[in-house]
Amino acid sequence: MNTYSTDSNPTDRSLTLREGLTRYYAANPDFIQNRDMQVGPFHIPWQDLLRHDLMHVVTGYSTDLRAELQLLGFLLTALSWKRPWYYYVQSFGVFLELLWRSLTGRALGNKYVNPLQVCQLYYRGIRQGGTVKKKVDAYINPETLMDTRLDTLRLEYGIDNAERLDNNC
């Protein structure tokens, strides 16, 4: 799995969201783009997948499993509470699935993460999401933000780049 981060180069802070998203997809060519996704019984609209990917870009959380756990926690508390019901299922459900895998000794992706670390990473994201100064609208139209600079978005919402926070576990 790739570990995209917008903070790998200090000049990246001046990228627009569109430019950051282009780099994100270039680093993750296998990610679904421009189409809905079916996960078991759940249908995930493309717009929701795009919003999730945009949050990777804005927060700087990489796409490795540890950072994904943190992003799920972050989204639980940083988004406005008015959101599609399946956002809650995604956050809790994926966390519980990964915790279960860890408790049963199975690797998460290609690496084993112990149950305590799974909980710590998810909780770290929850804590960071609780610090945003402006809640992220779960229904925001991504196109309205595409030409906004990442540093401007981070400042507006009060989002410290997550990558600096995910190295302790």
Side-chain angles (χ1 to χ4, degrees), residues 15-19 142-150:
L15 291 175
T16 65
L17 184 54
R18 185 181 317 278
E19 293 164 334
E143 198 53 45
T144 64
L145 302 174
M146 286 297 189
D147 295 317
T148 307
R149 287 174 36 145
L150 290 173

Side-chain angles (χ1 to χ4, degrees), residues 116-166:
L116 180 59
Q117 287 177 315
V118 170
C119 293
Q120 287 173 331
L121 291 164
Y122 187 68
Y123 180 66
R124 184 175 291 151
I126 288 171
R127 272 197 352 244
Q128 187 194 10
T131 67
V132 297
K133 65 183 177 185
K134 177 181 174 184
K135 294 292 183 188
V136 179
D137 180 359
Y139 292 99
I140 197 161
N141 177 355
E143 198 53 45
T144 64
L145 302 174
M146 286 297 189
D147 295 317
T148 307
R149 287 174 36 145
L150 290 173
D151 56 357
T152 301
L153 287 170
R154 290 174 180 161
L155 184 62
E156 179 181 346
Y157 287 92
I159 297 173
D160 281 330
N161 186 269
E163 281 304 304
R164 290 180 291 173
L165 301 174
D166 99 12

Side-chain angles (χ1 to χ4, degrees), residues 71-135:
L71 181 61
L72 287 172
F74 176 85
L75 294 174
L76 182 65
T77 53
L79 291 180
S80 58
W81 290 104
K82 182 181 175 188
R83 62 182 99 172
W85 65 270
Y86 52 85
Y87 279 33
Y88 294 102
V89 173
Q90 177 193 25
S91 183
F92 292 126
V94 172
F95 164 70
L96 292 173
E97 171 65 22
L98 295 174
L99 181 59
W100 177 249
R101 285 174 176 255
S102 180
L103 286 167
T104 57
R106 292 183 282 166
L108 308 177
N110 60 0
K111 186 175 184 182
Y112 177 77
V113 180
N114 76 50
L116 180 59
Q117 287 177 315
V118 170
C119 293
Q120 287 173 331
L121 291 164
Y122 187 68
Y123 180 66
R124 184 175 291 151
I126 288 171
R127 272 197 352 244
Q128 187 194 10
T131 67
V132 297
K133 65 183 177 185
K134 177 181 174 184
K135 294 292 183 188

Side-chain angles (χ1 to χ4, degrees), residues 4 19-28 31 52-53 56-57 63:
Y4 165 84
E19 293 164 334
L21 189 64
T22 298
R23 286 187 181 189
Y24 173 84
Y25 286 131
N28 299 286
F31 284 12
H52 178 89
D53 292 345
H56 274 287
V57 174
T63 56

